[in-house]
């Protein structure tokens, strides 16, 4: 199974080469597509160097300016569908919050036909949040997930997570042109649309680790926006059903 992992980057020059090495060490046929929004720290150049060094196993999309996680992923997904033959298309953060070691289990679920999309999940048995997270942040994340899952009536434990592996056919069937959200709600929107279209969503436990290098930009405001966005999703996709 050919797997392509889309990695959006904004100032991840230190993390990216380490992450690519870790991915290439997995017992999987992995390629990487970096989507860089003209990072001031030169991540785009780092990605180009990786591309040159890995005989094309790393590819890069350069975008002119920082326009958020959602648009970066959508650009990456479209590129993957149009220009590659990948059987599975993944998404993960560049900052090592998403341990590469969980990827083979996600791939197995797709390969065995047990799921149409596999999610790395902090909220299934065996999954865990960073021990270093303050209690308020753990509480907020857990609450946000229960909240979104209840309102949207989705049988998914971790709806805001950004570590996922999509079967090519699943992603190709998603109405990507309708996806509007950015940030956390982007993940919720994609999961919700997949669920409403009747795709089988499986979850693999992960230990979510805080970013190792660089500054965290998590804020209460970001999560509050996401909370409101859930209601918009309910309305905007009222037409969809499997
Ligand atoms: N291309 C692109 N990538 C982005 C943008 N914003 C964030 N990213 C990347 O998206 C991934 C997730 O972003 P993070 O900044 O780690 O978000 P987070 O995990 O919610 O917050 P942290 O606590 O800072 O780790 C990382 O690989 C970022 O480099 C953006 O505007 N454009
Ligand atoms: Mg992060």
């Amino acid at each position: 199974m050919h797997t392509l992992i889309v990695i959006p980057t904004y100032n991840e020059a230190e993390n990216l080469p380490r992450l690519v090495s870790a991915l290439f060490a997995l017992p999987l046929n992995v390629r990487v597509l970096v989507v860089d929004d003209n990072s001031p720290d030169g991540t785009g150049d780092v990605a180009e160097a990786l591309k040159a060094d890995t005989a094309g196993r790393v590819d890069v999309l350069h975008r002119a300016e920082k326009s958020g996680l959602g648009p970066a992923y959508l650009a990456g997904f479209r590129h993957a569908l149009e220009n590659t033959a990948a059987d599975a298309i993944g998404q993960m953060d560049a900052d090592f919050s998403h341990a590469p070691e969980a990827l083979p289990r996600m791939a197995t679920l797709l390969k065995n036909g047990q799921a149409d999309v596999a999610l790395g999940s902090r909220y299934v048995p065996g999954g865990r949040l960073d021990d270093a997270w303050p209690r308020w942040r753990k509480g907020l994340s857990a609450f946000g997930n229960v909240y979104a899952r209840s309102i949207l009536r989705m049988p998914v434990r971790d709806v805001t997570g950004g570590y996922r592996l999509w079967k090519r056919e699943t992603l190709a069937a998603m109405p990507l042109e309708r996806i509007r959200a950015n940030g956390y709600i982007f993940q919720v929107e994609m999961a919700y649309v997949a669920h409403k279209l009747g795709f089988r969503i499986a979850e693999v436990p992960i230990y979510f680790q805080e970013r190792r290098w660089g500054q965290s930009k998590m804020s209460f405001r970001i999560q509050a926006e996401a909370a409101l966005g859930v209601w918009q999703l309910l309305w905007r996709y009222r037409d969809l059903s499997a």
Side-chain angles (χ1 to χ4, degrees), residues 226-238:
L228 283 177
V230 169
W231 292 98
Q232 292 172 330
L233 292 182
L234 195 63
W235 178 251
R236 287 196 38 233
Y237 292 105
R238 64 193 181 281

Side-chain angles (χ1 to χ4, degrees), residues 79-132:
H79 182 91
L81 291 170
E82 286 163 17
N83 302 296
T84 80
D87 305 302
I89 298 164
Q91 53 174 102
M92 73 195 291
D93 292 356
D95 62 2
F96 280 93
S97 286
H98 301 144
E101 297 74 37
L103 204 56
R105 291 187 60 192
M106 292 156 77
T108 301
L109 286 172
L110 301 193
K111 213 179 335 186
N112 294 349
Q114 290 164 281
D116 300 313
V117 54
L119 313 184
S121 179
R122 299 161 289 182
Y123 300 113
V124 290
R128 209 150 54 92
L129 275 168
D130 199 321
D131 295 328

Side-chain angles (χ1 to χ4, degrees), residues 1 81 85-89 110 115-117 166-175 197 199:
M1 195 165 77
L81 291 170
D87 305 302
I89 298 164
L110 301 193
D116 300 313
V117 54
W166 299 83
K167 232 165 80 178
R168 180 193 187 87
E169 294 74 17
T170 309
L171 204 52
M174 294 278 288
L197 290 174
F199 288 115

Side-chain angles (χ1 to χ4, degrees), residues 119 145 149 154-159 164 191 195 201 203:
L119 313 184
N145 269 282
R149 183 172 91 227
M154 274 199 281
V156 173
R157 313 298 303 187
D158 194 340
V159 286
R164 299 176 173 179
H195 167 66
I201 302 172
E203 295 182 85

